[in-house]
Amino acid sequence: MAKNSIDELNIKEIGMWPLGFRVLALSGVAILTIVLSYLLISKDNINSLFSLQLQQYKLRNTFVDSYSQAVNLDAYKAQMIDIQKMLQGLLQKLPGQGEIPALLEDISQQALAAGLEFELIKPEEPIDKGFYFEQPIKMSLNGKYHGFGSFITGLSKLTRIVTLHDFSIKRKSGAKDSSILNMEVYAKTYWYVAKEKL
């Protein structure tokens, strides 16, 4: 059978078609089969594969991070123990609220040892700073310049933390000796909130 046009081809006689038409028809069927199998079967599997590869990547990174932490776990534990000891040491330097009168006595002793005289020493209301309280103490002292230096040095050697803020030094008005000065200063000490709750 010699058929040369598409109009003359009968689907029931595919075996009799010319070679070119048979190859074209088989290629079309093969392409259609591949496309349909991709759309119906493989597409979901490929998307699932990509999803699983992404999950594997994330899990691998998590594993690497966890592994590096596990390898250094002993070092981290030792470092944590050292930090806790340092924190406890620092917290012991913070007076408790009940220790403020003893701290005021220590400040007074430092002033007397430096040859200073108090005009005023007045604890003000504590300020809540979250996990600690700040206790401001307003002070006004009279004495010689080097006495102020000795006083500040003595405060720095106390076992409790005391910081000085907003100070001014001026000549004491009405003093017989012109070397007598007046220093107004805020001393601040701190206490840890959890320490009071124990």
PDB file of all heavy atoms in Angstrom, residues 81-109:
ATOM      1  N   ILE A  81      31.061  26.175  85.654  1.00  0.00           N
ATOM      2  CA  ILE A  81      31.363  26.108  87.089  1.00  0.00           C
ATOM      3  C   ILE A  81      32.202  27.314  87.502  1.00  0.00           C
ATOM      4  O   ILE A  81      31.950  27.945  88.540  1.00  0.00           O
ATOM      5  CB  ILE A  81      32.068  24.778  87.434  1.00  0.00           C
ATOM      6  CG1 ILE A  81      31.075  23.620  87.298  1.00  0.00           C
ATOM      7  CG2 ILE A  81      32.676  24.813  88.829  1.00  0.00           C
ATOM      8  CD1 ILE A  81      31.700  22.245  87.370  1.00  0.00           C
ATOM      9  N   ASP A  82      33.199  27.680  86.672  1.00  0.00           N
ATOM     10  CA  ASP A  82      34.033  28.848  86.973  1.00  0.00           C
ATOM     11  C   ASP A  82      33.194  30.124  86.993  1.00  0.00           C
ATOM     12  O   ASP A  82      33.355  30.970  87.876  1.00  0.00           O
ATOM     13  CB  ASP A  82      35.157  28.993  85.938  1.00  0.00           C
ATOM     14  CG  ASP A  82      36.210  27.907  86.058  1.00  0.00           C
ATOM     15  OD1 ASP A  82      36.256  27.231  87.115  1.00  0.00           O
ATOM     16  OD2 ASP A  82      36.995  27.730  85.097  1.00  0.00           O
ATOM     17  N   ILE A  83      32.295  30.263  86.035  1.00  0.00           N
ATOM     18  CA  ILE A  83      31.446  31.462  85.971  1.00  0.00           C
ATOM     19  C   ILE A  83      30.527  31.523  87.192  1.00  0.00           C
ATOM     20  O   ILE A  83      30.328  32.599  87.772  1.00  0.00           O
ATOM     21  CB  ILE A  83      30.645  31.477  84.654  1.00  0.00           C
ATOM     22  CG1 ILE A  83      31.586  31.746  83.474  1.00  0.00           C
ATOM     23  CG2 ILE A  83      29.527  32.508  84.688  1.00  0.00           C
ATOM     24  CD1 ILE A  83      30.946  31.579  82.116  1.00  0.00           C
ATOM     25  N   GLN A  84      29.962  30.380  87.599  1.00  0.00           N
ATOM     26  CA  GLN A  84      29.094  30.361  88.783  1.00  0.00           C
ATOM     27  C   GLN A  84      29.862  30.743  90.041  1.00  0.00           C
ATOM     28  O   GLN A  84      29.353  31.468  90.897  1.00  0.00           O
ATOM     29  CB  GLN A  84      28.439  28.993  88.936  1.00  0.00           C
ATOM     30  CG  GLN A  84      27.352  28.735  87.918  1.00  0.00           C
ATOM     31  CD  GLN A  84      26.789  27.327  87.991  1.00  0.00           C
ATOM     32  OE1 GLN A  84      27.397  26.432  88.556  1.00  0.00           O
ATOM     33  NE2 GLN A  84      25.621  27.132  87.392  1.00  0.00           N
ATOM     34  N   LYS A  85      31.104  30.277  90.161  1.00  0.00           N
ATOM     35  CA  LYS A  85      31.928  30.651  91.323  1.00  0.00           C
ATOM     36  C   LYS A  85      32.214  32.149  91.328  1.00  0.00           C
ATOM     37  O   LYS A  85      32.153  32.797  92.374  1.00  0.00           O
ATOM     38  CB  LYS A  85      33.242  29.872  91.314  1.00  0.00           C
ATOM     39  CG  LYS A  85      33.095  28.416  91.701  1.00  0.00           C
ATOM     40  CD  LYS A  85      34.423  27.685  91.640  1.00  0.00           C
ATOM     41  CE  LYS A  85      34.288  26.211  91.941  1.00  0.00           C
ATOM     42  NZ  LYS A  85      35.567  25.501  91.805  1.00  0.00           N
ATOM     43  N   MET A  86      32.541  32.679  90.149  1.00  0.00           N
ATOM     44  CA  MET A  86      32.808  34.124  90.053  1.00  0.00           C
ATOM     45  C   MET A  86      31.557  34.922  90.405  1.00  0.00           C
ATOM     46  O   MET A  86      31.627  35.931  91.125  1.00  0.00           O
ATOM     47  CB  MET A  86      33.289  34.485  88.647  1.00  0.00           C
ATOM     48  CG  MET A  86      34.700  34.037  88.359  1.00  0.00           C
ATOM     49  SD  MET A  86      35.258  34.298  86.639  1.00  0.00           S
ATOM     50  CE  MET A  86      34.544  35.832  86.176  1.00  0.00           C
ATOM     51  N   LEU A  87      30.390  34.479  89.907  1.00  0.00           N
ATOM     52  CA  LEU A  87      29.140  35.172  90.199  1.00  0.00           C
ATOM     53  C   LEU A  87      28.839  35.135  91.693  1.00  0.00           C
ATOM     54  O   LEU A  87      28.455  36.156  92.277  1.00  0.00           O
ATOM     55  CB  LEU A  87      27.995  34.548  89.402  1.00  0.00           C
ATOM     56  CG  LEU A  87      26.618  35.166  89.636  1.00  0.00           C
ATOM     57  CD1 LEU A  87      26.596  36.631  89.214  1.00  0.00           C
ATOM     58  CD2 LEU A  87      25.546  34.385  88.893  1.00  0.00           C
ATOM     59  N   GLN A  88      29.025  33.984  92.325  1.00  0.00           N
ATOM     60  CA  GLN A  88      28.788  33.889  93.760  1.00  0.00           C
ATOM     61  C   GLN A  88      29.724  34.816  94.535  1.00  0.00           C
ATOM     62  O   GLN A  88      29.313  35.454  95.505  1.00  0.00           O
ATOM     63  CB  GLN A  88      28.941  32.436  94.241  1.00  0.00           C
ATOM     64  CG  GLN A  88      27.819  31.529  93.806  1.00  0.00           C
ATOM     65  CD  GLN A  88      26.454  32.030  94.249  1.00  0.00           C
ATOM     66  OE1 GLN A  88      26.276  32.462  95.389  1.00  0.00           O
ATOM     67  NE2 GLN A  88      25.490  31.986  93.351  1.00  0.00           N
ATOM     68  N   GLY A  89      30.981  34.884  94.082  1.00  0.00           N
ATOM     69  CA  GLY A  89      31.934  35.789  94.733  1.00  0.00           C
ATOM     70  C   GLY A  89      31.501  37.237  94.616  1.00  0.00           C
ATOM     71  O   GLY A  89      31.588  38.012  95.580  1.00  0.00           O
ATOM     72  N   LEU A  90      31.018  37.610  93.436  1.00  0.00           N
ATOM     73  CA  LEU A  90      30.556  38.983  93.239  1.00  0.00           C
ATOM     74  C   LEU A  90      29.277  39.259  94.016  1.00  0.00           C
ATOM     75  O   LEU A  90      29.109  40.343  94.593  1.00  0.00           O
ATOM     76  CB  LEU A  90      30.338  39.265  91.754  1.00  0.00           C
ATOM     77  CG  LEU A  90      31.600  39.328  90.898  1.00  0.00           C
ATOM     78  CD1 LEU A  90      31.238  39.450  89.425  1.00  0.00           C
ATOM     79  CD2 LEU A  90      32.474  40.497  91.320  1.00  0.00           C
ATOM     80  N   LEU A  91      28.373  38.286  94.055  1.00  0.00           N
ATOM     81  CA  LEU A  91      27.127  38.485  94.793  1.00  0.00           C
ATOM     82  C   LEU A  91      27.375  38.629  96.287  1.00  0.00           C
ATOM     83  O   LEU A  91      26.642  39.346  96.980  1.00  0.00           O
ATOM     84  CB  LEU A  91      26.161  37.318  94.533  1.00  0.00           C
ATOM     85  CG  LEU A  91      25.569  37.255  93.125  1.00  0.00           C
ATOM     86  CD1 LEU A  91      24.674  36.028  92.979  1.00  0.00           C
ATOM     87  CD2 LEU A  91      24.808  38.519  92.784  1.00  0.00           C
ATOM     88  N   GLN A  92      28.430  37.992  96.796  1.00  0.00           N
ATOM     89  CA  GLN A  92      28.751  38.131  98.215  1.00  0.00           C
ATOM     90  C   GLN A  92      29.253  39.540  98.536  1.00  0.00           C
ATOM     91  O   GLN A  92      29.175  39.984  99.670  1.00  0.00           O
ATOM     92  CB  GLN A  92      29.789  37.093  98.619  1.00  0.00           C
ATOM     93  CG  GLN A  92      29.220  35.692  98.687  1.00  0.00           C
ATOM     94  CD  GLN A  92      30.277  34.652  98.996  1.00  0.00           C
ATOM     95  OE1 GLN A  92      31.448  34.959  99.095  1.00  0.00           O
ATOM     96  NE2 GLN A  92      29.843  33.413  99.140  1.00  0.00           N
ATOM     97  N   LYS A  93      29.762  40.231  97.505  1.00  0.00           N
ATOM     98  CA  LYS A  93      30.219  41.606  97.729  1.00  0.00           C
ATOM     99  C   LYS A  93      29.066  42.596  97.727  1.00  0.00           C
ATOM    100  O   LYS A  93      29.254  43.757  98.062  1.00  0.00           O
ATOM    101  CB  LYS A  93      31.240  42.005  96.656  1.00  0.00           C
ATOM    102  CG  LYS A  93      32.553  41.277  96.810  1.00  0.00           C
ATOM    103  CD  LYS A  93      33.561  41.815  95.840  1.00  0.00           C
ATOM    104  CE  LYS A  93      34.907  41.144  96.078  1.00  0.00           C
ATOM    105  NZ  LYS A  93      35.963  41.765  95.306  1.00  0.00           N
ATOM    106  N   LEU A  94      27.890  42.145  97.334  1.00  0.00           N
ATOM    107  CA  LEU A  94      26.719  43.015  97.368  1.00  0.00           C
ATOM    108  C   LEU A  94      26.054  42.879  98.731  1.00  0.00           C
ATOM    109  O   LEU A  94      25.713  41.782  99.147  1.00  0.00           O
ATOM    110  CB  LEU A  94      25.726  42.623  96.264  1.00  0.00           C
ATOM    111  CG  LEU A  94      26.205  42.747  94.827  1.00  0.00           C
ATOM    112  CD1 LEU A  94      25.119  42.242  93.875  1.00  0.00           C
ATOM    113  CD2 LEU A  94      26.585  44.163  94.490  1.00  0.00           C
ATOM    114  N   PRO A  95      25.877  43.990  99.425  1.00  0.00           N
ATOM    115  CA  PRO A  95      25.238  43.882 100.736  1.00  0.00           C
ATOM    116  C   PRO A  95      23.753  43.582 100.573  1.00  0.00           C
ATOM    117  O   PRO A  95      23.132  43.957  99.592  1.00  0.00           O
ATOM    118  CB  PRO A  95      25.453  45.275 101.339  1.00  0.00           C
ATOM    119  CG  PRO A  95      25.573  46.181 100.171  1.00  0.00           C
ATOM    120  CD  PRO A  95      26.217  45.366  99.084  1.00  0.00           C
ATOM    121  N   GLY A  96      23.202  42.916 101.536  1.00  0.00           N
ATOM    122  CA  GLY A  96      21.761  42.722 101.563  1.00  0.00           C
ATOM    123  C   GLY A  96      21.121  43.983 102.111  1.00  0.00           C
ATOM    124  O   GLY A  96      21.793  44.859 102.681  1.00  0.00           O
ATOM    125  N   GLN A  97      19.811  44.112 101.947  1.00  0.00           N
ATOM    126  CA  GLN A  97      19.131  45.311 102.425  1.00  0.00           C
ATOM    127  C   GLN A  97      19.328  45.480 103.928  1.00  0.00           C
ATOM    128  O   GLN A  97      19.488  46.585 104.411  1.00  0.00           O
ATOM    129  CB  GLN A  97      17.646  45.243 102.078  1.00  0.00           C
ATOM    130  CG  GLN A  97      16.911  46.529 102.393  1.00  0.00           C
ATOM    131  CD  GLN A  97      15.463  46.483 101.932  1.00  0.00           C
ATOM    132  OE1 GLN A  97      14.946  45.433 101.605  1.00  0.00           O
ATOM    133  NE2 GLN A  97      14.828  47.634 101.927  1.00  0.00           N
ATOM    134  N   GLY A  98      19.390  44.394 104.645  1.00  0.00           N
ATOM    135  CA  GLY A  98      19.583  44.462 106.094  1.00  0.00           C
ATOM    136  C   GLY A  98      20.999  44.838 106.492  1.00  0.00           C
ATOM    137  O   GLY A  98      21.260  45.160 107.647  1.00  0.00           O
ATOM    138  N   GLU A  99      21.934  44.804 105.554  1.00  0.00           N
ATOM    139  CA  GLU A  99      23.332  45.122 105.850  1.00  0.00           C
ATOM    140  C   GLU A  99      23.682  46.596 105.596  1.00  0.00           C
ATOM    141  O   GLU A  99      24.811  47.001 105.807  1.00  0.00           O
ATOM    142  CB  GLU A  99      24.249  44.238 105.002  1.00  0.00           C
ATOM    143  CG  GLU A  99      24.101  42.757 105.290  1.00  0.00           C
ATOM    144  CD  GLU A  99      24.947  41.918 104.354  1.00  0.00           C
ATOM    145  OE1 GLU A  99      26.176  42.090 104.369  1.00  0.00           O
ATOM    146  OE2 GLU A  99      24.364  41.119 103.607  1.00  0.00           O
ATOM    147  N   ILE A 100      22.709  47.397 105.170  1.00  0.00           N
ATOM    148  CA  ILE A 100      22.966  48.809 104.867  1.00  0.00           C
ATOM    149  C   ILE A 100      23.435  49.577 106.109  1.00  0.00           C
ATOM    150  O   ILE A 100      24.390  50.349 106.020  1.00  0.00           O
ATOM    151  CB  ILE A 100      21.723  49.464 104.218  1.00  0.00           C
ATOM    152  CG1 ILE A 100      21.401  48.790 102.884  1.00  0.00           C
ATOM    153  CG2 ILE A 100      21.913  50.964 104.038  1.00  0.00           C
ATOM    154  CD1 ILE A 100      22.482  48.904 101.839  1.00  0.00           C
ATOM    155  N   PRO A 101      22.837  49.401 107.286  1.00  0.00           N
ATOM    156  CA  PRO A 101      23.342  50.123 108.462  1.00  0.00           C
ATOM    157  C   PRO A 101      24.819  49.810 108.758  1.00  0.00           C
ATOM    158  O   PRO A 101      25.593  50.715 109.092  1.00  0.00           O
ATOM    159  CB  PRO A 101      22.433  49.654 109.604  1.00  0.00           C
ATOM    160  CG  PRO A 101      21.162  49.258 108.928  1.00  0.00           C
ATOM    161  CD  PRO A 101      21.582  48.688 107.609  1.00  0.00           C
ATOM    162  N   ALA A 102      25.214  48.546 108.613  1.00  0.00           N
ATOM    163  CA  ALA A 102      26.620  48.191 108.847  1.00  0.00           C
ATOM    164  C   ALA A 102      27.505  48.832 107.780  1.00  0.00           C
ATOM    165  O   ALA A 102      28.620  49.282 108.082  1.00  0.00           O
ATOM    166  CB  ALA A 102      26.792  46.675 108.833  1.00  0.00           C
ATOM    167  N   LEU A 103      27.016  48.909 106.553  1.00  0.00           N
ATOM    168  CA  LEU A 103      27.783  49.562 105.491  1.00  0.00           C
ATOM    169  C   LEU A 103      27.936  51.054 105.770  1.00  0.00           C
ATOM    170  O   LEU A 103      29.022  51.621 105.573  1.00  0.00           O
ATOM    171  CB  LEU A 103      27.106  49.334 104.135  1.00  0.00           C
ATOM    172  CG  LEU A 103      27.814  49.938 102.935  1.00  0.00           C
ATOM    173  CD1 LEU A 103      29.195  49.312 102.751  1.00  0.00           C
ATOM    174  CD2 LEU A 103      26.981  49.759 101.681  1.00  0.00           C
ATOM    175  N   LEU A 104      26.877  51.698 106.273  1.00  0.00           N
ATOM    176  CA  LEU A 104      26.962  53.120 106.636  1.00  0.00           C
ATOM    177  C   LEU A 104      27.997  53.329 107.748  1.00  0.00           C
ATOM    178  O   LEU A 104      28.744  54.318 107.730  1.00  0.00           O
ATOM    179  CB  LEU A 104      25.591  53.642 107.079  1.00  0.00           C
ATOM    180  CG  LEU A 104      24.523  53.736 105.991  1.00  0.00           C
ATOM    181  CD1 LEU A 104      23.194  54.149 106.595  1.00  0.00           C
ATOM    182  CD2 LEU A 104      24.946  54.697 104.905  1.00  0.00           C
ATOM    183  N   GLU A 105      28.053  52.383 108.663  1.00  0.00           N
ATOM    184  CA  GLU A 105      29.058  52.458 109.731  1.00  0.00           C
ATOM    185  C   GLU A 105      30.461  52.340 109.151  1.00  0.00           C
ATOM    186  O   GLU A 105      31.382  53.085 109.541  1.00  0.00           O
ATOM    187  CB  GLU A 105      28.797  51.345 110.765  1.00  0.00           C
ATOM    188  CG  GLU A 105      29.739  51.352 111.939  1.00  0.00           C
ATOM    189  CD  GLU A 105      29.585  52.591 112.799  1.00  0.00           C
ATOM    190  OE1 GLU A 105      28.487  53.157 112.882  1.00  0.00           O
ATOM    191  OE2 GLU A 105      30.614  53.006 113.386  1.00  0.00           O
ATOM    192  N   ASP A 106      30.649  51.420 108.185  1.00  0.00           N
ATOM    193  CA  ASP A 106      31.963  51.271 107.529  1.00  0.00           C
ATOM    194  C   ASP A 106      32.356  52.550 106.785  1.00  0.00           C
ATOM    195  O   ASP A 106      33.518  52.971 106.826  1.00  0.00           O
ATOM    196  CB  ASP A 106      31.942  50.099 106.540  1.00  0.00           C
ATOM    197  CG  ASP A 106      31.871  48.743 107.234  1.00  0.00           C
ATOM    198  OD1 ASP A 106      32.148  48.688 108.451  1.00  0.00           O
ATOM    199  OD2 ASP A 106      31.539  47.752 106.549  1.00  0.00           O
ATOM    200  N   ILE A 107      31.381  53.180 106.122  1.00  0.00           N
ATOM    201  CA  ILE A 107      31.661  54.441 105.407  1.00  0.00           C
ATOM    202  C   ILE A 107      32.057  55.517 106.411  1.00  0.00           C
ATOM    203  O   ILE A 107      33.010  56.277 106.185  1.00  0.00           O
ATOM    204  CB  ILE A 107      30.433  54.858 104.560  1.00  0.00           C
ATOM    205  CG1 ILE A 107      30.237  53.880 103.396  1.00  0.00           C
ATOM    206  CG2 ILE A 107      30.590  56.284 104.039  1.00  0.00           C
ATOM    207  CD1 ILE A 107      28.951  54.077 102.607  1.00  0.00           C
ATOM    208  N   SER A 108      31.345  55.582 107.530  1.00  0.00           N
ATOM    209  CA  SER A 108      31.679  56.576 108.573  1.00  0.00           C
ATOM    210  C   SER A 108      33.078  56.346 109.122  1.00  0.00           C
ATOM    211  O   SER A 108      33.836  57.307 109.351  1.00  0.00           O
ATOM    212  CB  SER A 108      30.661  56.505 109.714  1.00  0.00           C
ATOM    213  OG  SER A 108      29.386  56.841 109.266  1.00  0.00           O
ATOM    214  N   GLN A 109      33.444  55.092 109.329  1.00  0.00           N
ATOM    215  CA  GLN A 109      34.784  54.772 109.841  1.00  0.00           C
ATOM    216  C   GLN A 109      35.865  55.207 108.841  1.00  0.00           C
ATOM    217  O   GLN A 109      36.911  55.712 109.244  1.00  0.00           O
ATOM    218  CB  GLN A 109      34.900  53.266 110.124  1.00  0.00           C
ATOM    219  CG  GLN A 109      34.070  52.787 111.298  1.00  0.00           C
ATOM    220  CD  GLN A 109      34.490  53.449 112.599  1.00  0.00           C
ATOM    221  OE1 GLN A 109      35.660  53.677 112.859  1.00  0.00           O
ATOM    222  NE2 GLN A 109      33.500  53.791 113.415  1.00  0.00           N
TER     223      GLN A 109
END
